[in-house]
Amino acid sequence: TIKMEPLETVFGKGRKLSVTGIANPENEIQIEKTLVVELVEKYPDAAIITAFYKNTGTNELKIDKTISNYFKLDASIADPQVDPYDFWSYQGASVAWGFDYVIPTKDGFRQKNSMGVQPETKTGGGVPLVDLWNNNAGLAIAHLDPKPQLVSFPVEVEDDKKVSMSILNETAKTLAPGESLQTLKSAVITHSLDYFDPLKIYC
């Protein structure tokens, strides 16, 4: 089912799109997902996203992790002369003192961007946002929870040479029949300049 309705929140007025579907695989686990996309007039380059998962089956459902806002970008679509991974990136995690947070993504690149404490360096936290951009366009993702969350923002050049990014929450949970799980409220931000654009919108 698809539903569009007016919206008024702390972020302002706009529209809310709700899309609901049911996954019913052969192993008798049934999941209903509702994806809510909020489009606010004040922030025309951003979409605020939340997902709700409900166990509509008859068995318990064990959740190991949730992945939100998974995107895979290919720079060669806009410019066939460059590699698919030809992006600059803003990596929001505080990895170590003196570690660059604005870096190009190269073949084999991988960074977890955990918002928790790094065991090796004892640093942690950071800005819960990652961004990929080049001369043609940029895309950032962030979570909007006012409290710090133990999530990560993995950015990786995958085997097909395209760059993926997402919000990963590894909190384990068991859903009894009828119970629901809500992901963090997050933002997807499009832009045309560098990472200052999405950071300005986020802040």
Side-chain angles (χ1 to χ4, degrees):
T1 60
I2 301 175
K3 181 171 63 174
M4 181 75 80
E5 55 191 331
L7 172 74
E8 186 167 357
T9 70
V10 294
F11 299 113
K13 296 182 179 180
R15 295 173 295 160
K16 181 172 75 171
L17 171 68
S18 301
V19 183
T20 300
I22 295 177
N24 189 11
E26 296 179 358
N27 60 2
E28 298 182 1
I29 293 175
Q30 184 169 284
I31 305 169
E32 178 186 272
K33 176 181 179 179
T34 300
L35 182 67
V36 177
V37 182
E38 300 176 5
L39 304 171
V40 180
E41 295 172 0
K42 186 178 179 181
Y43 304 103
D45 297 323
I48 300 171
I49 297 176
T50 313
F52 301 85
Y53 296 91
K54 183 178 181 180
N55 181 1
T56 54
T58 57
N59 299 320
E60 284 190 340
L61 180 61
K62 293 184 178 180
I63 309 294
D64 295 321
K65 58 187 176 183
T66 60
I67 298 173
S68 305
N69 294 351
Y70 175 89
F71 292 95
K72 185 183 282 191
L73 280 66
D74 183 350
S76 65
I77 291 176
D79 184 357
Q81 303 301 316
V82 303
D83 293 309
Y85 52 79
D86 191 12
F87 292 96
W88 278 88
S89 69
Y90 171 84
Q91 310 283 333
S94 176
V95 177
W97 291 109
F99 194 88
D100 288 339
Y101 56 88
V102 178
I103 49 180
T105 53
K106 299 180 179 180
D107 194 9
F109 178 85
R110 180 183 292 108
Q111 187 163 313
K112 185 176 181 181
N113 287 305
S114 173
M115 292 294 113
V117 175
Q118 312 295 326
E120 299 83 7
T121 62
K122 306 303 180 186
T123 60
V127 179
L129 179 148
V130 294
D131 182 30
L132 295 170
W133 79 92
N134 57 22
N135 291 335
N136 295 298
L139 184 70
I141 57 175
H143 85 64
L144 302 179
D145 198 291
K147 296 181 180 179
Q149 299 291 327
L150 293 177
V151 298
S152 58
F153 290 76
V155 178
E156 179 179 356
V157 175
E158 299 193 2
D159 292 340
D160 59 6
K161 309 305 179 185
K162 300 173 186 178
V163 189
S164 66
M165 61 179 179
S166 61
I167 301 175
L168 173 63
N169 188 343
E170 297 184 273
T171 301
K173 185 177 179 64
T174 299
L175 293 183
E179 287 189 331
S180 298
L181 169 70
Q182 176 181 341
T183 64
L184 289 174
K185 188 180 291 288
S186 58
V188 177
I189 304 169
T190 61
H191 61 99
S192 57
L193 298 176
D194 63 15
Y195 68 101
F196 280 103
D197 268 7
L199 282 176
K200 182 179 179 180
I201 294 172
Y202 174 75
C203 293

